[in-house]
Each structure stands twice: as structure tokens, then as C-alpha cells.
Amino acid sequence: QVSFSSGSDILIGSYPISVQELLIIDDLLFALLGIEGRYISIKRLCGKEPHLLFQIDPSTDLALQELSQRLFPLCKNFISINDFVESKSHFNTGLVNHAFAASLRTLLLDYQAMVAQLEHQFHLGRLSLQGLWFFCQPMMGSMHALSIVIEKLSANNLSGSGTLNLLQSQAKSMAGDNEVRNLLEKMEQSASSAYLHILERWVYEGIIDDPHNEFFISENKSLQKESLTQDYEAKYWQHRYSLKDSIPNFLISTAGTILTTGKYLNVMRECGHNVQVPISDILKITHAGSNHHYIECIKVAHAFASTELLKLIKEKYCLVGKLRSMKRYLLIDQGDFLVHFMDIAQDELAKRPDEISVEKLQSLLGLALRSTAAAVDPCHEELTCCVERVPLLKRLAMLKKRVIPETGQPAFSFDELHEPVNITGLETFCLSYKVRWPLSLVITRKALTKYQLIFRFLFHCKHVNRQLCVAWQLHQGFRMINIVGTVISGSSILCRNMIKFINSLLHYLTFEVLEPNWHLMHDSLKTAKSIDEVIHHHDLFLDKCLKECLLLSPQLIQKMEKLKLICLQYAVAVQQLIPSMCMPPVDSMFSDSIISFEKEFSNGLQ
Amino acid sequence: HSDLVSTETTVSESVLVRDVLYVAQGIDGSYVKYDVKINGYDLPPDSGSFKVPRATRTMVRRLCELGWLFRMVKDYVSECTERFPTDEVGTVGQAFCAALQDELTEYYKLLAVLESQTSVPIPKGGRDGKAGNYLSLMRLSIWFAEPIVKMRLMALLVDGCRSLRGGALAGAIHGYAQYGDPLVQEFMSRLLRRVCSPLFEIVRTWVLEGELEDVFGELFIIGQPVKAESLWREGYRIQSSMLPSFISEKLAQRILRTGKSINFLRVCCEDNGWADAATEAAAHVGATTRKGGLGYVETDALEAMAVEAAKRIDKHLMEVMYQRYRFKDHCYAIKQYLLLGQGDFVQYLMDIVGPELSQPANTISSFQLAGLLETAIRASNAQYDDRDILDRLHVKMMEHEDGDQGWDVFSLEYNTHVPLDTVFTASVMKRYFRIFNFLWKLKRVEHALIRVWKTMKPNRIISHIFGNDSATMKFQFISVLRRCQVLWNEMNHFIRNFQDYIMFEVLEISWACFLEEMDASKDLDDLLAAHEKYLSSIALKSLLGERSHGIFKTLFLLFDLILRFQSNTDRWFENIYELQPRGNSKFKKSERLKLGSQVYGGGKALMQIAGDILRKMGEDLDSISKEYSSSLKVFISQLPLQHHVDLKFLLFRLNFTEYYSRFPPGKY
């Protein structure tokens, strides 16, 4: 037992009961404000959690003791609430806690006013202990409820949305007590007003104005928008702004919308367009109980932001035009440019990849662009070329295993793929396209890589086709001669077979895969309502194309590569052997090789 | 009960209330006094004559916190007021004090009201129970609830901002304003509005009138007296310690530039058109130009004003630069003369100053060179150029040492006046000189090669001198000559291509980019940046950059070799020409048949001399061509190591037939 310390030397028990009552009332009035009196003392027990102990002079009349002890919980609650207000008014406890503390303070002021009123009654001599108890009744319930909330708050050290959620759940769990529920809801409302101000700025301006880190959206400043054009695994769009775990309950349903709204506004701001959602007073976000007005506001802002951004990207940055020009060059839509380029760059491309001068290729590319119909395309300036070190198959395998392709080092671990010893620029050449912000949101590095994969495949097919055509031309030299039964006729049939094969492959790739898919995407882009949809459609298109171009099925693509290799070897052999046909040893060699090629080709085809 | 209470208490509650009210104003009451030991107000301990109950004592202590806080604020305010027109406080500090003082006045008003209520006695035990508006300690605590919050805040601000001033002070107060409490928020925004208004006023006069009315150095912009030519670059700068956090770096830059533009127009261009632009800007924003029109909450308005003013004033400045001071014309003139863009002029100048410059540097008179320059101007199309521009063109002789030739020290100079010297500063002109010297050297080497060709051309006639009788000698001569031609061709190929590259890939392209950027530039900073980019791209691409030091040395080695080749060929052919008259005289003499033996001997001697000359020539040629080809190889091998992509094109251009890549790299 803690020893009782009294403020007075005279025992209260020595007075008559009526005087005792007056003395006790006087003390209780102070105790209600957390001040020790003559006969009532307050002990702060420092245990696991601070605990308050009220004691009354034991010599007091027992009935009076009992009566006054009923009031102690109220005193206790007052002290704890007051402590909370003091501690949470500090700068770094967060805006929500500040607002909450402020509304608590007004409540405490009411309470103090009540006590002062009681004191007035006491001065007038009209207050009995019983009366005191009666007058305190209305406050007791709400003070008790609040002290419970506060206890939980300080136990978990909550702030921001945590505080809001706690207030809301407490209000719900106290639903039976109408008065307390109203009080808690009012508290929540005033606490959330600070929070909603942050929300407003985010939803209407795209700015996170959050000095105490309370908002449920966080910005990762280390992710730069430039990474979109450099890094294959760029996470800018997904992770630049992200939701935190702590979302206020009343916003959970719309959190995604809120996030995208601000994100869109931010993209526009990064483009140098200072866009603000036009707000009128009606659209001021408020949160009042069951009123779902704020959801409407968010929806309006979201609709505005997404249409504005889409308009910006489609009209000012000409998304569709860029996509069309990417299709023109990277998906080999425009023939004259490609044929011309292949004509002039043939010699350079026939070298080994590390011997090729990229500058020379680039200038040849520029030549090809300017001297063909591509010259009228305003977007042709963005086209560049690059030569990679790895053949297509290996590259595909690398992508599949999600190895970062830029480093190149891990490439050596894929030796199980048989590597053609003499790869030339023709196998590794690919075009690239300079994409600028904000279009890099749609055409990311990843998307560009997919385009490039398709391009390389198509380019090589074209190359094989051209070589076979040369071989075919050589065969045409024998038209005047009767070739029936000779090795030439066999060879010419094989050549035609091969040409047919490669032509149908190209036909399939371009007319049955790329074109229809592109048109599908084009149509869906027209109806898209937000940038996320555009990105989704574009990615879908690329994935579908990759899949249907067989690039995602390793067995098929390996077979295809093998067939193309045979075709190529055949074409080279024919080009070497036919001019020197007259010599007898060559003749037999020729027929042998033709037969072997034929066998291999038909095997491969099956 | 009342008796009982009065036995315990020697002082009545109303006296204590009065005391507390005094204390709340920082004055010691009759009982409650400031205690230095505990740094606060307290009642004296209980004694015989003085007794209060414990509860009352606690209550009084609680209430006296206000007095303690008040003292702190009051001290700060009076301390500042004493030092008022000084640097340490500044206008922002004054505004802060004034705002605090206003808050205190409000507080005094409250105290006065309370004071009037103290006269009402506290009712005791049911007697005269009608008077309701008396003051007890408990009632006082309710009255004090709000002031105490404000006072705490003020004390916090005073404590935190004691050592700060100017923009830093405003920034610090802004830092405290991030409160969620509506009461505090309102209070802080009122305070900030007051504190920021002098700051914004300075900004306003700066942006609209170009005056830095900043007596105490409080603004984030500081100026220093400089000469007119460096006004733009060094005259004003941002002082980041004074930049309040609510003004972004970008906005600060914009504000800085706007005022700087006005000052530049006023000081350097002697132009007054900016005033119209400024008023127009102010009218456009709608912020009246009257004083005190901007407050803390109107950061957006400030930004809008800065943006509008910047837009108009920069536009005006650019107009002045382009139209009155003909910036573009001067740039073009520099390109034409210093960067050798005007071909006929350069050719003629080279022709006429060439002989002069071959002299040792200390014997050359710059007056004579100036005369020659004038001649060159008159003889070429340059004469039709604007006189104003031509007057600025001068010959400049650089510092020379012993043994320097005129070639090493000669350069052209272009004078610019205020305000153009903001762009063409001394250091910029120095870089132009470097480029000029390089180009001049290149031109000279080209010139030398042409002269070599001119000397070599008539030698078909010379071959007659050897007649039929010395076929071996003739053969020897022709083979040496052929080697000479081959080497010349090789050098010519290199110089031609290199010069083409410099002219068309470097100078013209950089110039075109510069023109484009010049048109796009919106303010002087952009223009300076564009010019800087122009210069540095020329320097980088023509191997004058820091990184290409090694290759530049090789290039100069090549140039020197070519010049040596030229001087050697001059000497050889001079020798051969000397042979010619002797040979001719020989023929005449042999026809006369007068001194037969002598002639025969003379002929033999002649042959011997010719043989010597040819052998010497062959040897020299060998050494030069060997050195040349090895240097060229080094040069070509160094080219791909350069970072600029255009230099790779130069390689591509020089090595178009892949003649030079027959040698595997890294063999030399």
C-alpha cells in the first residue's frame, strides 16, 4: 500500500459530516482537473504503463468515501486525455494527430467549463456530493470512450491513417451508444480534414504535400523517368508512386483510383504542362459520416486526369503516329526502304559483328531513309541502328531466363544452345528507335526489345529470301538448255521449294500475324480511356505478335532457324558452284551437295 | 466550512487571481514572484503568515506557465525592437516582431477584460449569489486555455528563430507551419503573411523594377558591384541560405534572372523599354503594382508574376540584343573572319601576309600587317560588309619568344563593346583565338601544299636539262620526282579531307545548330548556353578539347612535316633550277667547241652535282615520307579512341577505301 500523504495536517475525520462533505467537494473539484487537494491525493505509478491511483483520506466518513470514489474514473480519464493532448501537439506527431488533439482540446475546454460551473454552484453553496455526481454524468460516458481510444492510440503509437482507422472502428464498435458514436464520428471528421487536404492536393494537382509522411501514397524518388528508355526491367510506371499498407478504411475502395489520378497528373507535370483539375467549391473533398460525396469528387478528378493525359499523349505527342512509324520500320511495313538498305549495306553487314562500323551503318541507314519514301515520314529521324553480339536464339533464351541483357556477361552460361560459329551482321543487325518521354511510358525498353526481336526474325527471313532469289536467278541461265534429268533440274526444284517455304513463312508473319493484330490494337487504342489501357493494349499486341511469330516456342523457332540455315547454305553453295559447273569434279560435288541439301531440307520441313 | 478554509488560507482567492493576472503580463504580483532558481513563477513556501492549500498552489503554478512564456516572447520582442534598424534584425525580423506584438496586443485586451472582472467578489457560501461574472482560479484556467496554446507556439518560434534573419527566418517559420491543428494553422498563416510581406515586397520591386531594395541583405539574391561586362555573369547570385523553403529553386532562378535582365538592360544596353514590359506584366497578372500586394498565401501569385514579368522582359531583352545590338550579325562576322568562313578574303590575306609572316616574330611590324589586312578586305568581297563590323576587325600579335616565326604569333581579333561583351568575354575570345590559330595553321598548310604543287609542276621542262646523254640520271630524277608526287598526293588527300571535315562537318553544322538554338532561346541565359555549346562543339570536334590533347599533338606533327616537306621541296627545286642555266650554258659552250675538255669535265661535274642533289633529295624524301606515314598511322589509330561520334566519321572519310586499315591496328 502506498502511504497516504495529505495536504493538510488535520485529519478530516475530526470534522462533522457536513463539513467533511464540503471539504471533499472542494477537493473533488480540483481532482476533476487533475490537481491534488487536501484529502485526495494522486499517485502516478510508474509500471509497465503509467497508471494513476487516487486516494482519499481514510478517516473520511465511509459513505462520503464511496460517493467520491465513483468520480475518480472521470478524473483519471481527464488526466490521461490532457496528457495525450499535450504530447500529441508536438510538431512531429503528424497532422492527423494534431487535428485530433485540437478537437480533444475543445472537448476538454467544455469539460473545464463544466467544472467551473460546478465550482460556481459550490460557491453559491448549492452543490452537494450527490449533485456533483449527477452533473458529471453526461461527461462520463464520452470521456471514458475517448480515454479508451487514446490508450490504444498511444499503446500502438499510431499516426496518420492509423489514427483515422482506429477512430472509425471505435465509432463503429460503439454504435450502440448514440451519443458516444456521434462524438467519435465528429472527432474522426475533424481529424480527417487535415488528411483530406493532402488527398485534395494529390488528386487535384498531383503533388504529395505530406510533411509527416502520413499519406498512403509514397513516392520513390530514386526511380527516374529516364530509366524507361534504358532499363529493360524499368519499374518507373509501377513503382514510382505506390500505395502504402496503411490506407484509411474509408478510402480503401478508391485507393487505386486515387493513385492513378495523381500519377496521370504527375506525368503531365513532368511534360511541362501544369494541369490542375478545375475545382469548384462543390468539389471540395469533405468526409462526413455516411456521405459518399468524396468518392464523387475523386471520380471526377480521375476522369479529368485520364482524359487530359490521353489527349496530351495522343495529340501533342502523336502516339499513334509513332506506333505507325515503328511498325513501318521495325515490323518491316515499308518495303522500298528495306530493300534499298539491304542493297547498300550488304557488304558491311556480311562482316563479323565486332568488325562492323556502326557509324557506317548509321550513315547508310540515313541514306536509305532519305532516298526512299520514308523521307516524307516526319518520324524517321528517330531511327537508329545497332548491332548486337548475340544471335537471336540466344537472345530469346536470355530474355526467357530474365537475365538483364545489357551486361552481356551471363550470356556465356547458355552454351547448351548450339551456337553458329560464324555469325555475321545479318544475324545480329537490328533497328532501334529513340523514344522520348512521355511516350516511353507506352513504348518502354521492354516493348522496344520485343519489337526488335520481331524485326530481327523478319530481317533474317528477308535476307534468306534474297539469297534464294539470287540462286534462282542463276538457275534461270539454263532455260535455253535442256536440263531434264540433270542435276540442275533437281536443284532448281529444290530452290523453288525453298523459295516457296520462305515466302509463305513471310506471308504468314506479315499478313496473318502482324497486320491483323496491329489493326486490332489500333482500333482498341481509339476507344481506350486511360493511359493504362493504352499500355495494356500495346503490351497485349506485342505479346500476341511474339507468340504468333513463333518466337516464344523454342522448339519451333529452333527448327525454323535450322531450315533457314539450310536455305542459306544452299544458296551460298549454288552461287559458288554454278559458275564453275563445267569442271567435272565440281559437277559431282554439286550433285552430291544438292542431294544432301534436299534431304536435309525435307527432313527439316517434316 | 468557510471559516475552516480561511484558517488554512491567509490570502483570499481574489488576491491570487489578481496576482496571476499580473504574472500573465510578466509582472511580479504581491505573492507570486519570479524565482530565478527554478526559472519560473511560484508562490512563496508556506509560513506562518502565508498559507495556501496545496490544490490552489498547483493551480497557480499551472496558470503561471503563461507568464513564463509571455516573458520569453516579450523579451525577444523588446530586444529586437531596441536593435531595430540594424542588420541583425532586418525587415523580416521587424515584421516578425510586429506580428508578435499584434498578437500580444490581442492578449493584453483579453487581460484587460479579465482585470475588470477581478473587482467582482467571489461569492461565498450563498451570500450575494447574483453576480455571475467573477473570476476564480478555475475560471481563469478556462480563459487562459487558448492564449496558452498560442503563447507556447510563439515561444517555440522565438526560441527556434532567435539567430535567424531574412529569408532564412521566413523559411524557418514556414517549417513550423505544418500543423494539422486548425487553430494553429490559422495563427501561423496570419503570422507568415505578415512575415513574408517585406520579403515579397523586395521580390516585387526586384522583378518589376530591377531594384534590389534589400537594405539588410535578407533576400535570397545578393548583388555585388562589378564592371558592366561581367554584370550578367557575376553581378547577382542566389544565396541559398536565405532561400525560404516555400520558394522553389526554379522559381528563385527565374526571379533572379528577371531582375538581372532589367539591370542588364538598364546598365549595359541603356534601354528603358523594359518599364513598359514590366507594367504590362503586372497588369496581366492582375496583381496591382502597389506596394504590399503580395502575401504568403499568394505564392502562386508571386510565381505567376515572376513568370509573366520574366517572359516579357526576356523577350524585350532579346529584341534589344538582336535588333539594336545586332547579335546575330556579329556572330556571323566572327564566323566569317575569325573562323575563316569568308574564303576569298582568307585566300587573299594568306597570299599577301605569307611572306611577311615567314620573318622572325620580333621583326614584324603590326602596323604593316594591319595595312595588309585592310588591303585584303578591300580586295575581297569583305569590302561590301558593314563598316561597323569591319572596323572591329584587327590584327593581333601575341606574345612572342625568340625563334618564333610570324606565323606563330599572328592572329585576328574582333572587338566587341558593351553589352555584347557579356557574350564575348575575354575568355570566350581566347577560345576563338585558339580555334582561329588552328584553322589558320590548317589553311597555311594547305597553302603550302599548293605552293609545292606549283613548284613541282614546271619540272617537265627541267627534265630536258639532262639531255639524252644521261639517261640513268634522267631515270633517277623521274623516279625521285614520282615519289615526291606520291607523297604530295597522300598529304593532299589528308589535308583536303581534314579541311572538308572541319569546314562542313564541324563549323557549318555547329553554326546551323547555333542558329536554331539562337532562335529558340528565350532569355540571355539560353543564348549564353547556346553560344557556349556552339564554341565547345567546335572545339571538341576539331580536336581542341581536353581529351584529345594527344591526337592534337600528332596532328601538329603532321602539319610540321608537311611544312618541312614544303621547305625541302623549295630547296631541292631551287637547286635544280640552279643546274638549269649551267646546263644551258654547257650546251652553248659545247656548240662553240671552244673549251672541249673543260666542258667535258664541267659536264661530268655537273652530273656529279646533280647526282648528289638527287641522292640527297631521295634521302630526305625517304625520311619525311617514313615519318609522315608513321605519324599518320598514329593519328588514324588514335581517331577511334575519341569520344565524339563525328570524329569516327572523319575516320570513315579518311579511310574510305580502307587503304589504311590494311595494317592491323596496334602494330606501330
Side-chain angles (χ1 to χ4, degrees), chain B residues 477-545:
Chain B
F477 179 68
I478 287 173
S479 81
V480 167
L481 206 58
R482 177 151 178 74
R483 270 160 59 202
C484 219
Q485 294 277 18
V486 167
L487 183 59
W488 181 83
N489 257 326
E490 213 174 306
M491 287 172 170
N492 195 38
H493 167 76
F494 173 70
I495 289 296
R496 279 286 140 162
N497 274 306
F498 193 71
Q499 203 181 13
D500 277 2
Y501 163 76
I502 293 285
M503 281 295 159
F504 299 114
E505 308 265 330
V506 177
L507 291 180
E508 286 301 330
I509 286 184
S510 302
W511 172 250
C513 288
F514 179 43
L515 275 187
E516 217 167 82
E517 277 178 35
M518 203 175 353
D519 289 338
S521 59
K522 288 192 184 65
D523 53 63
L524 197 54
D525 273 336
D526 284 354
L527 196 64
L528 284 174
H531 185 254
E532 171 66 32
K533 205 176 141 197
Y534 166 62
L535 256 186
S536 55
S537 90
I538 291 178
L540 187 69
K541 287 196 216 167
S542 48
L543 302 174
L544 292 169

Side-chain angles (χ1 to χ4, degrees), chain A residues 37-38 102 105 119-120 123, chain B residues 8 54 62 125-126 134 136 181:
Chain A
R38 294 181 192 83
R105 199 168 51 227
E119 192 209 20
H120 178 63
H123 283 166
Chain B
E8 280 187 357
R54 188 165 62 163
R62 262 194 206 181
Y134 60 92
S136 65
D181 187 338

Side-chain angles (χ1 to χ4, degrees), chain B residues 122-157:
Chain B
I122 300 173
K124 288 284 174 226
R127 276 167 280 158
D128 46 61
K130 272 164 202 155
N133 53 346
Y134 60 92
L135 274 182
S136 65
L137 287 175
M138 214 172 267
R139 287 187 168 200
L140 210 54
S141 80
I142 297 168
W143 281 110
F144 279 1
E146 196 176 301
I148 218 165
V149 172
K150 285 187 185 171
M151 203 59 86
R152 265 188 206 152
L153 204 61
M154 284 196 268
L156 189 71
L157 288 177

Side-chain angles (χ1 to χ4, degrees), chain A residues 5-10 15 19 22-23 26-27 29-30 33-42 78 82 86 88-92 94-96 98-99 101-102 105 109 112-117 119-126 190 193-194 209 211-212 274 276 348 351 357 359-360 362-363, chain B residues 1-2 4-9 13 46 51-60 62 65 122-134 136-139 141-146 148-149 152 156 174-185 300 303 645 648-649 652 655-656 658:
Chain A
S5 79
S6 159
S8 172
D9 352 314
I10 310 156
Y15 298 110
V19 177
L22 284 178
L23 285 172
D26 197 12
D27 270 11
L29 284 175
F30 280 106
L33 294 181
I35 297 170
E36 284 181 305
R38 294 181 192 83
Y39 306 105
I40 296 176
S41 68
I42 306 168
F78 169 78
N82 199 33
E86 304 271 308
K88 292 298 172 189
S89 297
H90 281 301
F91 183 63
N92 51 9
L95 295 181
V96 174
H98 291 161
R105 199 168 51 227
L109 212 58
Q112 279 172 317
M114 180 200 81
V115 176
Q117 205 55 43
E119 192 209 20
H120 178 63
Q121 295 292 327
F122 177 63
H123 283 166
L124 296 179
R126 292 192 200 138
S190 52
S193 71
D209 178 18
H212 302 289
N274 232 338
Q276 275 195 10
E348 191 70 26
K351 293 180 186 169
S357 144
E359 289 80 25
K360 194 164 177 177
Q362 180 71 47
S363 67
Chain B
H1 160 71
S2 310
L4 189 75
V5 171
S6 56
T7 55
E8 280 187 357
T9 327
E13 191 169 354
D46 278 352
K51 269 168 106 180
V52 282
R54 188 165 62 163
T56 318
R57 191 179 281 272
T58 321
M59 197 69 171
V60 168
R62 262 194 206 181
E65 187 197 347
I122 300 173
K124 288 284 174 226
R127 276 167 280 158
D128 46 61
K130 272 164 202 155
N133 53 346
Y134 60 92
S136 65
L137 287 175
M138 214 172 267
R139 287 187 168 200
S141 80
I142 297 168
W143 281 110
F144 279 1
E146 196 176 301
I148 218 165
V149 172
R152 265 188 206 152
L156 189 71
H174 174 77
Y176 285 108
Q178 308 283 338
Y179 266 100
D181 187 338
L183 178 75
V184 181
Q185 250 173 11
D300 291 344
E303 184 161 358
V645 98
K648 291 188 182 144
F649 278 111
F652 177 44
N655 195 11
F656 189 73
E658 306 194 345

Side-chain angles (χ1 to χ4, degrees), chain B residues 268-297:
Chain B
C268 301
C269 309
E270 286 155 0
D271 178 272
N272 286 318
W274 56 267
D276 300 337
T279 31
E280 197 185 314
H284 188 269
V285 184
T288 41
T289 36
R290 73 183 157 77
K291 291 181 190 285
L294 291 166
Y296 159 68
V297 272

